[in-house]
Amino acid sequence: MTATTVLTARALLLDMDGTLVNSDAVVERCWRRWADRHGLDGDEVMKVVHGRQGFASMAVLLPNRPMEQNHADNARMLAEETADMDGVVAVPGAAEFLASLTGLPHALVTSADVALSTARMAAAGLELPDVRVTAESVGASKPDPEGFLKGAAELGIAPEDCVVFEDSGAGISAGRAAGMRVVGVGPRAAFHRPDVLVDDLTRVRVEQTDDASLRLHIG
């Protein structure tokens, strides 16, 4: 991307995995083990799991399995992921990007639960935003827009005045369904037509305008 895109917003809603934190190594390890246990093709499983809560991914991959089994299996998966921080690192530019948002309206909106999101952000050396919407906060997983709508409500900002940062197809769909503009981060996002696409967060600069809006310079 060579040209700079400028977006104006009143709040930013940030996904975690793939957007702020690169946790691909552990996600691959855990989900490929899960695929092996269930006789599924690991490559096909990895096409589904990014961005969704585990039970929602399991429902797609094992459509005939009772949902209570998916929830129980997801609890085990979350514990397994939370115990494995090997290879978890910050997305380039994430620390500087979060520091630039100090005092500005923003929230973390993640499919991880409190324990996993806290552990991964710490492993990546990143500060947790004050406002956080985690798996415990919602009844429906991305691509449902509930999480992003809840984040906007917590900040007191209208959905159309929010910009979402996301890496996955499920997350980008959720942001769109919430009526928000979406900045796609990283290679996965490129397949899902976000409003703007960047390789990482080194390409994003945020400034506050005189009317308390946020101006994003992207590219």
Side-chain angles (χ1 to χ4, degrees):
M1 172 176 199
T2 53
T4 298
T5 299
V6 178
L7 299 178
T8 301
R10 300 195 75 84
L12 306 183
L13 302 177
L14 315 174
D15 174 53
M16 182 182 72
D17 291 301
T19 301
L20 298 173
V21 173
N22 182 343
S23 56
D24 283 1
V26 62
V27 172
E28 287 264 348
R29 283 195 295 273
C30 291
W31 278 100
R32 286 186 182 276
R33 283 197 298 266
W34 183 89
D36 287 344
R37 289 197 294 269
H38 294 279
L40 299 175
D41 181 275
D43 291 340
E44 295 304 311
V45 166
M46 295 313 303
K47 292 176 183 177
V48 171
V49 300
H50 292 290
R52 292 179 169 86
Q53 290 192 45
F55 74 85
S57 296
M58 293 169 188
V60 172
L61 293 161
L62 298 174
N64 297 318
R65 190 165 77 158
M67 189 56 78
E68 59 266 25
Q69 290 186 31
N70 293 334
H71 281 285
D73 211 358
N74 183 48
R76 290 188 289 271
M77 175 70 78
L78 285 168
E80 190 178 338
E81 289 184 284
T82 304
D84 185 355
M85 291 295 128
D86 188 22
V88 174
V89 296
V91 167
E96 296 81 1
F97 176 61
L98 286 171
S100 76
L101 299 182
T102 301
L104 304 179
H106 68 288
L108 186 73
V109 181
T110 176
S111 294
D113 64 3
V114 169
L116 182 57
S117 58
T118 301
R120 281 190 177 159
M121 290 288 280
L126 300 176
E127 294 289 329
L128 278 164
D130 291 336
V131 178
R132 302 184 285 276
V133 178
T134 61
E136 297 93 339
S137 310
V138 298
S141 169
K142 300 171 186 177
D144 191 281
E146 181 186 359
F148 287 124
L149 292 172
K150 203 158 254 191
E154 293 252 354
L155 295 170
I157 304 295
E160 61 270 21
D161 291 326
C162 296
V163 168
V164 165
F165 282 72
E166 263 287 0
D167 74 300
S168 70
I172 291 169
S173 294
R176 282 210 189 98
M180 301 171 182
R181 289 156 294 160
V182 181
V183 176
V185 180
R188 274 192 296 272
F191 296 101
H192 303 286
R193 300 174 135 192
D195 295 286
V196 190
L197 178 67
V198 289
D199 293 335
D200 57 43
L201 295 170
T202 63
R203 308 297 296 274
V204 182
R205 183 168 61 85
V206 182
E207 62 180 357
Q208 189 170 28
T209 64
D210 291 340
D211 66 353
S213 294
L214 307 180
R215 185 174 292 129
L216 308 178
H217 299 265
I218 305 165

